[in-house]
Structure formats: structure tokens, C-alpha cells
Amino acid sequence: MTSQLSEATEKPAIIQTIYVDEMIGSDAGSGSETSPLKTVLKALERHGESIKVVVKKDADGYKDVSSAALKKAKKYLLEQQRKLKKQEEQKDKHDAEMMKKAEEEAKALEHAKSIVLTQDESLPKAEKIKICQGVDSRGKRVKVSGWVHRLRVQGKDMMFVVLRDGSGYLQCVLTGERCHTFDAITLTTESTITVYGVINALPEGKKAPDNHELVVDYWELVGKAPDGEEAFNSKVASDADPSYLLDNRHLVLRSETTSAVFKARAEVIKAFRAHYESRGYTEVTPPCMVQTQVEGGSTLFEFDYYGENAYLTQSSQLYLETCLPSLGDVFCIAESYRAEKSHTRRHLSEFTHLEAEMAFLTFDEMLDNIEDLVCDVIDRVMTHKPTRQLIEQLNPGFEPPARPFLRMTYADAIKYLQDNDIKKEDGSYYQYGEDIPQAPERLMTDKINRPILLCRFPADIKAFYMQRCGDDRSVTESVDVLMPNVGEVVGGSMRMDDMNELLEAYKKEGIDPSTYYWYTDQRKYGTSPHGGYGLGIERFLAWLLNRYTVRDCSLYPRFTGRCTP
């Protein structure tokens, strides 16, 4: 009786109706008739599956969801719940493992602080060497300092460190307590360290720089580099924005590729100097602050020089010409400056300019000299094994240019552009008398795929001082040397040797001859046929080392909008 009364007084369960409309519903809705959900699954997720009645709308209005659809939704919901639970369990397990690992690392760090390394005084005294001396120092106990280029921990008792000191790379092996100290556990790339030990040749099949490694018996930290967000590898990621990499150029220089470029650059400049020495030239050092122009006033960097207008030199050519009567053939390697608002990959506002001037020669002899320069320098760097290896690293498959270079006149170049359908941006053909821009010039050079001595440019598009050809006074004894993949690397000409002709050229250009009196005097006090050229070191290197832009070949490139760091 009591049981029946209890059942009678129990309130019936409230069954809530949840509305689903797959056409206009939204799973962000409330589930009411005016704000239906989109899926049965969401209705089950949000309101449970045992006490809810789900109705689904079709063409005839809302109806109870079919048992098959409800069963399918419940099964999928259960799978999701199981997967979520498993993920949570895995996360809890991972968090526990990470916590345990962090505790172990903290204990290891505390223990590491108690480990103090001491040198074994019974060992021979270490000889201080540079890494490049490693091969000659095998079997001896040495002391080497440098930057941690790479590091790798192997197992619990071994650490490999590749050390860099600018002269080379050296693999070092730390074992036992030497890789358990606090400094070892927290060591980062680009930290500076000093290692002591013996350099041993590696057995056949193992690889390391110079095929040897230093087995460390003692080491010490000199300067620790940061970790985390400030870590070196985070600062100079290879896929970073080019502007960001230029802002951090001081760090980019440490990379293997960039350092290889500048080691090759140093040897190439040595080869240029060796070439000129072997040919009897004298090196001179012209001024970089001038009051005259060479390549046109629009590209001059002007500054105040104690109240007078002065400029950064565009070229040292005029000064080199004044040295011919006293020093004979001369050359210089100096910085030149061009205020060109160009963002092309072959332009710099400051570049290293190799220039030479020669007396008593013909135009053809000058062309021979330029060809000899390029080929002899390449021969010199390719016979220097370390430099050849750098070139092979940076430009695999490089082949020295074959002699003779192709000699092509400007007129023939215009015809080549027309015959090969190389046009201007507006679709028209280049015509004789027009300057050939960089893009079509490079396209032509790349198609021909060999060095070109492009000669005899019209006088109207060349500098005022260039000698005109004897057989055609409308063109000049001028040359641009074009290399595949980079374009012009050398520009040169014979210089006017007749004073009256030079004075007329000043007048035509609107130049005041009084400021050029020292240059004009070269024709007054014993004139001579003479000529010269300028070579952009960065462009030459971009060709030799297969660099995309000349900026890669400049230590701290300067161009429009960039004068830092």
C-alpha cells in the first residue's frame, strides 16, 4: 500500500524537446523551435541522450528523429567521448612525464653544479693552436678556443661539439664528467669555449671536418650564448625575411655559407693583386673624397667639406690616369659610391672597385688584358686548393671561362635582341642608339652562355672622356664585359688623349674645365694613348660563387634605404 502511494505521488520526468533543422539550424543555437540546432549529434552532446526527445524537420515539419539516425548519432558521440578520454589520459601521462623529466633535469642541474673539472697536471702541456693547424698537430696535446658551431648529445656520457674559430671547423668529443658539468648541460650554440686534448685521425668510414677529432681531457666555458627565444638559431633562421637577416647581418656572417663567401672573396682579391704584380703594375691608393664627377652627376653622394661641396668618389679612374707618367701601369682596389636608387640584385650604393689604367696600348690590346685578367685570376684561385673547395661548395660544377671571349659590337647586340625577339616592356624592339638595360642584356648573355666583350658603344650614351673610334667617330673604343647569370662585371674604354678633343667634350657635357685642370694636364705634359677599366668585386664574386645577389658578397651591404647595421 505504501509502495503504491509512493509511486502515485512521484512526479513524472520532464522530457525536454530539442529541435534540429539541418537546413537552417545552427549548432550555436539553443535547440528551441525558433533557434534549432543543425545536427542530432550536437543535440546529444549538449543535452544528453537518455531524457531528451529530438525532433527533426523535413518537408512536412518537425518529426521525431528516426531510431536509426539516433542510434548512429549516439554511437558517434560515444566514439568521440572515448577518444577525448584517451586524449586526456595521454595528456595527463605526458604532463606527468614532463614534470618528472623537469624534476630530474633540475636535480641533474643541481648535481652538475657540484662537478668541478680540473686539469690533469701529469699530462703534457697543451700547445695553443688555431683549428687550421689541426692536421699538423695530430697526436699532440693542444689547446683550441672557438665558438660552438654545432653540438649533439649522444647517450648519457658523450657529447659532440663542432668548434669554429674562423680558420676552420674541429669536432670535439666530451665524455664522462666533462659532459655532466653545469656548463656542459646548459651549453648553447655560439657559446665560446676552450678545449684541451689530443687530435686523432678518424677511422675509415667516419666523417668530420679534416677527418679527425679532438678527444677532450679538459675544457672551460669562456662566454655563454643565450638560449630560448634569443638563441642563435632562432635569430637567424634561413627562411627569415631578407630585411630581418640584413638587420642581423652580424650574426648571419657566422653561417657556413656566408663565411665561405668571404673567405673566397679574400682569396680572389689576393689573386687580383698577384696578377697585377706578375704583370708589372703598381698599386696606388686614390682619395675617396673628391670634387669632380666621372659617371654623371645624378649618382653623386654630396657632402659638406669644410664649407665646400664635395662628393664620395664614383670611380678612381681619373686619379689613376695621373699616375701613368710616373708609375707606369697602375691599379687600385678601393670603395666607390653610386647614389643610384636601384633595388636590383646587382646594384649597391657602396662597392669594392678594382680599377686599372695602362699607357701606350691599343684598344684590342686592352681587350686582351681584360680577358687575361679574368682568366688568370680564375686559374689562380682554382689552383689554390682551399679556395677551389670553397668555390665547389658554393657553386658546384663551376667551369672556368674558355678563351677567347666572344667579341660583339653594340650594333651586333641590338641586332641580336631584334633577331631573338627580345623586346622592351611596351613590346617594341630596341633600336640603335638606345642604352641596353640590364634585363635584356642579361637575357642575351645567358642565352649565349659565355663571357662577352661588348664593344664600340655610341658616343652619345657613354662617358665624356671615352676615345672615339678612328674608323667611325660616332662610336667609342669602349667595352662592357658580360658574364652569364650576373651581367656586366667590367666596364672600360680607351681615354681621350687629345687635349682639344677633351676640352670640347667638357663643353658638350656642360662641365667647367677649370676643376679638371689636373686631369687635362695629362694631355698637356706629354700625352699618350691609354685606357683602363673598372671591375666590381661583388659582381665578379656573384658570378664566380653563383650568388643570387651582389648583396651576398658585400660584408655589410649598402643600398637604397639600407645603411645599418
Side-chain angles (χ1 to χ4, degrees):
M1 182 71 178
T2 305
S3 175
Q4 291 175 354
L5 181 62
S6 174
E7 290 175 5
T9 57
E10 284 182 0
K11 294 181 179 180
I14 299 174
I15 301 176
Q16 183 182 0
T17 300
I18 306 301
Y19 292 87
V20 175
D21 188 335
E22 293 180 346
M23 296 297 294
I24 65 169
S26 168
D27 282 344
S30 65
S32 66
E33 187 171 2
T34 56
S35 180
L37 298 173
K38 187 173 183 66
T39 63
V40 175
L41 178 62
K42 180 56 69 174
L44 296 178
E45 282 182 358
R46 188 180 294 179
H47 300 286
E49 61 180 78
S50 59
I51 60 170
K52 309 300 178 188
V53 174
V54 180
V55 292
K56 191 175 180 183
K57 190 176 182 181
D58 59 16
D60 298 324
Y62 283 107
K63 293 182 180 179
D64 289 349
V65 67
S66 68
S67 56
L70 188 60
K71 182 178 180 182
K72 182 178 179 182
K74 286 181 178 180
K75 181 179 178 182
Y76 187 71
L77 177 62
L78 185 62
E79 288 176 356
Q80 279 192 325
Q81 290 171 339
R82 286 174 180 168
K83 186 181 292 185
L84 183 62
K85 183 179 179 182
K86 186 175 180 181
Q87 288 175 346
E88 289 174 349
E89 289 173 350
Q90 289 176 337
K91 183 178 181 301
D92 291 341
K93 183 180 178 181
H94 178 263
D95 290 346
E97 289 174 351
M98 292 302 292
M99 186 178 294
K100 182 180 178 181
K101 184 179 179 181
E103 290 173 354
E104 290 175 351
E105 287 177 350
K107 288 179 182 179
L109 284 174
E110 282 303 310
H111 174 67
K113 291 176 182 178
S114 66
I115 300 174
V116 179
L117 299 180
T118 57
Q119 287 208 62
D120 186 345
E121 297 299 331
S122 67
L123 294 174
K125 180 177 173 60
E127 178 186 345
K128 184 178 178 180
I129 67 165
K130 291 287 188 182
I131 290 175
C132 62
Q133 299 169 294
V135 174
D136 294 333
S137 302
R138 287 179 180 175
K140 303 175 185 176
R141 187 167 185 262
V142 297
K143 172 185 176 182
V144 185
S145 298
W147 287 260
V148 176
H149 189 65
R150 285 191 297 270
L151 60 88
R152 173 172 58 91
V153 175
Q154 184 168 309
K156 292 184 177 181
D157 291 305
M158 186 174 289
M159 178 186 290
F160 290 92
V161 173
V162 175
L163 203 61
R164 182 190 76 243
D165 72 349
S167 74
Y169 298 89
L170 175 64
Q171 180 168 289
C172 308
V173 185
L174 285 68
T175 57
E177 284 194 331
R178 287 170 285 276
C179 56
H180 293 312
T181 65
F182 180 80
D183 287 337
I185 293 174
T186 60
L187 192 61
T188 53
T189 56
E190 294 308 314
S191 294
T192 43
I193 63 174
T194 297
V195 294
Y196 298 74
V198 177
I199 298 177
N200 298 317
L202 286 174
E204 195 71 31
K206 292 193 175 183
K207 289 186 178 181
D210 291 326
N211 293 313
H212 60 209
E213 64 185 11
L214 184 145
V215 179
V216 177
D217 58 57
Y218 175 75
W219 74 280
E220 53 195 3
L221 179 70
V222 177
K224 181 169 287 186
D227 201 355
E229 291 184 2
E230 286 295 304
F232 176 80
N233 291 334
S234 300
K235 294 282 283 185
V236 292
S238 58
D239 58 350
D241 181 86
S243 293
Y244 176 84
L245 292 177
L246 285 169
D247 288 339
N248 289 278
R249 184 68 170 170
H250 59 294
L251 299 179
V252 173
L253 293 175
R254 303 182 182 206
S255 71
E256 288 185 34
T257 296
T258 306
S259 61
V261 168
F262 290 100
K263 287 176 182 177
R265 176 187 168 113
E267 292 300 327
V268 166
I269 290 175
K270 285 182 188 177
F272 276 120
R273 285 196 163 99
H275 167 84
Y276 285 121
E277 182 179 2
S278 71
R279 288 355 183 226
Y281 288 65
T282 300
E283 182 171 7
V284 295
T285 308
C288 68
M289 296 185 288
V290 301
Q291 290 185 305
T292 52
Q293 68 182 51
V294 181
E295 298 296 330
S298 64
T299 64
L300 284 168
F301 279 109
E302 185 175 353
F303 65 95
D304 181 271
Y305 187 74
Y306 304 109
E308 294 184 274
N309 289 334
Y311 313 99
L312 295 178
T313 183
Q314 301 165 312
S315 165
S316 298
Q317 172 206 319
L318 306 188
Y319 294 95
L320 264 60
E321 287 187 50
T322 68
C323 298
L324 293 175
S326 58
L327 301 175
D329 296 344
V330 292
F331 79 98
C332 72
I333 299 177
E335 297 304 287
S336 285
Y337 305 85
R338 304 282 172 87
E340 290 181 284
K341 294 182 179 179
S342 297
H343 278 281
T344 73
R345 55 193 175 111
R346 70 173 197 165
H347 280 95
L348 290 167
S349 296
E350 177 186 38
F351 64 97
T352 305
H353 209 175
L354 181 146
E355 297 182 86
E357 290 293 322
M358 300 144 289
F360 298 106
L361 82 169
T362 65
F363 182 50
D364 284 335
E365 287 171 338
M366 189 187 74
L367 298 182
D368 292 338
N369 285 354
I370 294 174
E371 186 175 305
D372 177 52
L373 168 74
V374 173
C375 293
D376 182 56
V377 166
I378 294 300
D379 288 344
R380 288 174 186 272
V381 296
M382 293 303 285
T383 54
H384 183 250
K385 184 178 178 181
T387 309
R388 185 180 72 249
Q389 290 173 338
L390 290 172
I391 293 170
E392 290 170 350
Q393 170 191 335
L394 296 165
N395 189 6
F398 172 76
E399 292 289 340
R403 301 194 199 197
F405 292 178
L406 175 63
R407 300 193 180 190
M408 174 187 281
T409 67
Y410 164 88
D412 286 339
I414 291 293
K415 186 175 186 304
Y416 181 94
L417 296 179
Q418 295 172 349
D419 292 346
N420 287 270
D421 209 32
I422 299 174
K423 301 178 181 179
K424 302 178 187 177
E425 290 185 359
D426 64 6
S428 63
Y429 286 104
Y430 289 95
Q431 301 298 323
Y432 187 91
E434 296 179 329
D435 192 19
I436 303 175
Q438 171 197 346
E441 182 182 79
R442 280 201 57 188
L443 190 58
M444 176 182 73
T445 309
D446 291 350
K447 277 191 171 186
I448 294 173
N449 197 31
R450 60 183 289 200
I452 301 172
L453 293 166
L454 189 58
C455 307
R456 293 169 64 97
F457 288 84
D460 290 342
I461 62 173
K462 282 298 181 180
F464 71 90
Y465 52 77
M466 292 187 178
Q467 182 72 279
R468 296 179 181 239
C469 294
D471 60 343
D472 183 353
R473 303 294 290 174
S474 70
V475 296
T476 55
E477 292 185 324
S478 54
V479 60
D480 285 350
V481 181
L482 311 179
M483 290 294 186
N485 299 319
V486 70
E488 180 192 345
V489 295
V490 182
S493 75
M494 296 297 288
R495 320 307 191 189
M496 284 185 180
D497 55 47
D498 181 270
M499 189 170 71
N500 292 328
E501 189 176 3
L502 181 60
L503 291 171
E504 187 62 32
Y506 289 147
K507 184 177 179 180
K508 184 179 179 182
E509 291 293 319
I511 294 173
D512 179 4
S514 64
T515 57
Y516 287 82
Y517 72 93
W518 52 275
Y519 181 66
T520 309
D521 274 358
Q522 303 310 305
R523 285 82 182 160
K524 181 178 180 180
Y525 292 93
T527 191
S528 68
H530 64 286
Y533 53 83
L535 178 148
I537 295 291
E538 289 81 8
R539 288 191 186 179
F540 186 87
L541 288 166
W543 162 68
L544 176 63
L545 306 179
N546 193 30
R547 297 299 91 192
Y548 175 73
T549 169
V550 293
R551 297 173 188 176
D552 293 341
C553 304
S554 175
L555 195 66
Y556 284 92
R558 300 293 186 244
F559 52 92
T560 308
R562 169 67 61 178
C563 198
T564 56

